[in-house]
Amino acid sequence: MKGSGAPFSVGTLDEVRRMPWRARRRLLGVRRSGGTGVLLIAEIREPVRSFTDRAGVVSLRENGLEICSRSRFATAPKFVELAPGPHDMEFTVRRWRASRTSSFRRAVELREGDVLVALCDPVQPNTFYRKSPVADSWFVGILSPGDDVSDSFKTRRPPPPTVAP
């Protein structure tokens, strides 16, 4: 996996504690329609009126063509239909300063009904309610039609421990 520019990390969907509710809702709609494609989720907490060189545009490219992007002006999860088969995807966070731009490539194989979920938590200005990560964090994985996403990516939480009387 080759990357460029600013530091970034790539993880699996199992590492995500909870999928944002807007993304779960969008994914359930896609599942009902039987769509195959990619769902881009960008956790951007930056105010629209602020100006900073940390502001970024999260985007996905296939074979050099941008297929979807999210920014502080458009933060809702974005779904794009893709044909089943192999795809060469580039995951990018672009910034005003090229040295702070990060990207990596990954080849994926989609079957009928699969959804490639790409969740990005980019470096942003610190807010009073949450500190920004030090590197762009990506969580990428493919969800098949039978996977449960009602609460989280992981299996249901174990029941609380019982205390012996």
Side-chain angles (χ1 to χ4, degrees):
M1 180 175 359
K2 182 183 178 223
S4 63
F8 65 93
S9 66
V10 180
T12 63
L13 292 180
D14 294 333
E15 298 172 31
V16 176
R17 194 173 135 226
R18 188 177 181 92
M19 182 190 256
W21 71 268
R22 290 170 70 181
R24 282 195 317 262
R25 188 175 172 112
R26 182 72 175 116
L27 185 59
L28 290 173
V30 168
R31 289 269 176 88
R32 278 190 213 110
S33 66
T36 300
V38 61
L39 179 66
L40 177 62
I41 307 159
E43 296 202 355
I44 298 175
R45 301 169 301 279
E46 186 177 329
V48 174
R49 292 185 176 202
S50 73
F51 182 77
T52 175
D53 62 350
R54 286 187 177 186
V57 176
V58 178
S59 65
L60 282 176
R61 295 175 175 266
E62 181 183 17
N63 299 326
L65 298 173
E66 185 172 293
I67 57 172
C68 62
S69 66
R70 300 284 85 191
S71 68
R72 63 184 173 177
F73 302 107
T75 59
K78 175 77 173 178
F79 178 76
V80 176
E81 289 273 342
L82 292 176
H87 298 278
D88 180 29
M89 307 295 289
E90 181 179 5
F91 303 82
T92 307
V93 179
R94 292 187 320 262
R95 295 197 174 77
W96 293 103
R97 295 175 67 184
S99 63
R100 293 192 179 179
T101 296
S102 67
S103 69
F104 69 96
R105 297 181 86 86
R106 182 170 286 177
V108 295
E109 176 80 30
L110 293 178
R111 294 181 304 223
E112 187 67 36
D114 284 354
V115 177
L116 171 67
V117 177
L119 189 144
C120 181
D121 190 6
V123 173
Q124 304 171 60
N126 291 332
T127 56
F128 65 91
Y129 55 87
R130 183 169 175 200
K131 189 172 170 97
S132 176
V134 294
D136 297 328
S137 302
W138 285 91
F139 301 97
V140 180
I142 296 176
L143 296 177
S144 299
D147 295 341
D148 179 30
V149 292
S150 59
D151 184 34
S152 69
F153 290 117
K154 296 181 180 179
T155 56
R156 296 282 177 197
R157 293 182 189 93
T162 57
V163 179

